[in-house]
Amino acid sequence: MMGFDQGTMPRLRWTATMIAVASLIPAVAQAKTGCDRANTNHANRIVQCDALIAAGDMGNVDYSDALFYRGYSLSQTGNKPAAIANYSAAIAVHPTANAYDNRGWVRYELGQNEAAFADVSRAVELNPQSQNAWSNRAAIALRMGRFDEAIISADRLLALDPAHKTANAYRARAYLGQGRFAQAMTAIDQAIQRDPSAAYMLIDRGMIHQAQGDDLRAFGDYDAALRSTPNDAWGLYGRGLAKMRLGRTADGRADIARATTIMPDIADHFARYGIRP
């Protein structure tokens, strides 16, 4: 959406029309203030962005920004298809790494993995310094079983920030997927040292133990993680498998049933890492 061409706009006389236009100025100014990063009330930000976009008097960059912020708030309030439409419109007007990154993550949440990976890959091309985009790229690559790409993304994260909390966890999952258990264990231990309170890292370590047949240690990690995140499907499924292999069949089946209720395809995720009943 281009701004008005001031050279072709007729000069307004101070009439009822001029008064009406002037009365809109505070509303547009309010919309500009409300349709930005500082407004964390997503329902209100959508309203303010709607008003700003409807007013229409802005250049491509401002228009793209308004679409971006409306898209983000739509994604946060659950309307993901509309969020994708807004990000797409923002990209069409003024492509940015943030718009590609955000659209990619929403597509990932909707299971559109190929399109999501393409988006976040474009995001890191536009901004190679974006830790968020590299992190999203690693996560999406893992979901797709593209372990080489996950390692590339995790390595870029560590190059940008050697103390990054999740980069080594991404590497651990990727190494696990490749069957490189010793490297996976080294990476996850480094990740846990940086963020000892992260339950999902204990789950990842449990998976590494389990993939090597050590269900007793795997059970310990899963059980510890579930004390702080009792409804984590990954932890429940892994603990359920460990219980069954350790002879606690009924308890194990109960955990697995809970896990599949929360995440119906959880078994497929574990199978990607070579862990099966």
Side-chain angles (χ1 to χ4, degrees):
M1 175 182 288
M2 296 297 293
F4 291 126
D5 183 347
Q6 298 298 329
T8 61
M9 286 289 289
R11 185 179 182 86
L12 292 175
R13 299 178 182 275
W14 191 257
T15 61
T17 302
M18 186 64 174
I19 294 170
V21 170
S23 70
L24 291 176
I25 292 174
V28 173
Q30 180 182 349
K32 287 182 178 179
T33 301
C35 183
D36 67 7
R37 184 184 299 274
N39 186 0
T40 57
N41 182 326
H42 294 297
N44 178 261
R45 182 155 65 182
I46 291 168
V47 171
Q48 300 300 331
C49 291
D50 284 347
L52 185 59
I53 290 166
D57 187 8
M58 60 185 125
N60 283 359
V61 173
D62 288 340
Y63 180 45
S64 178
D65 287 347
L67 289 164
F68 174 87
Y69 287 121
R70 185 169 68 178
Y72 180 73
S73 287
L74 285 165
S75 73
Q76 295 303 298
T77 55
N79 194 343
K80 298 185 188 303
I84 289 174
N86 275 263
Y87 289 138
S88 297
I91 288 167
V93 174
H94 178 66
T96 65
N98 284 341
Y100 275 108
D101 186 22
N102 282 29
R103 187 176 71 176
W105 191 255
V106 176
R107 284 175 162 171
Y108 167 70
E109 291 178 322
L110 293 175
Q112 301 169 13
N113 294 329
E114 290 289 348
F117 188 76
D119 273 348
V120 295
S121 294
R122 181 60 179 146
V124 296
E125 288 175 4
L126 291 172
N127 182 10
Q129 305 302 309
S130 173
Q131 292 186 35
N132 194 74
W134 282 115
S135 180
N136 287 345
R137 191 176 187 274
I140 295 167
L142 287 173
R143 177 66 62 86
M144 299 171 72
R146 299 183 66 173
F147 301 122
D148 289 344
E149 293 292 347
I151 292 170
I152 289 169
S153 298
D155 287 349
R156 290 300 300 266
L157 274 175
L158 287 171
L160 292 169
D161 179 9
H164 196 280
K165 287 186 176 181
T166 59
N168 275 305
Y170 292 139
R171 294 173 78 205
R173 280 270 182 106
Y175 289 141
L176 173 60
Q178 294 175 332
R180 298 159 67 182
F181 301 129
Q183 288 168 288
M185 189 61 74
T186 297
I188 200 60
D189 284 343
Q190 291 172 339
I192 291 171
Q193 287 174 9
R194 290 192 174 124
D195 194 4
S197 64
Y200 75 91
M201 293 185 186
L202 291 176
I203 292 171
D204 286 355
R205 190 170 68 183
M207 292 174 67
I208 298 167
H209 285 310
Q210 198 160 50
Q212 298 178 88
D214 191 342
D215 287 289
L216 187 59
R217 287 186 178 177
F219 172 82
D221 279 336
Y222 292 136
D223 201 53
L226 288 166
R227 288 181 204 134
S228 59
T229 57
N231 294 315
D232 188 289
W234 290 78
L236 286 166
Y237 187 84
R239 188 177 70 176
L241 287 182
K243 285 179 177 178
M244 291 184 69
R245 292 175 180 177
L246 294 169
R248 298 171 56 184
T249 304
D251 285 348
R253 286 176 176 166
D255 274 351
I256 290 172
R258 282 180 60 198
T260 52
T261 298
I262 297 166
M263 186 182 292
D265 61 346
I266 185 63
D268 294 336
H269 293 298
F270 269 71
R272 189 178 300 118
Y273 297 98
I275 304 170
R276 297 175 177 84

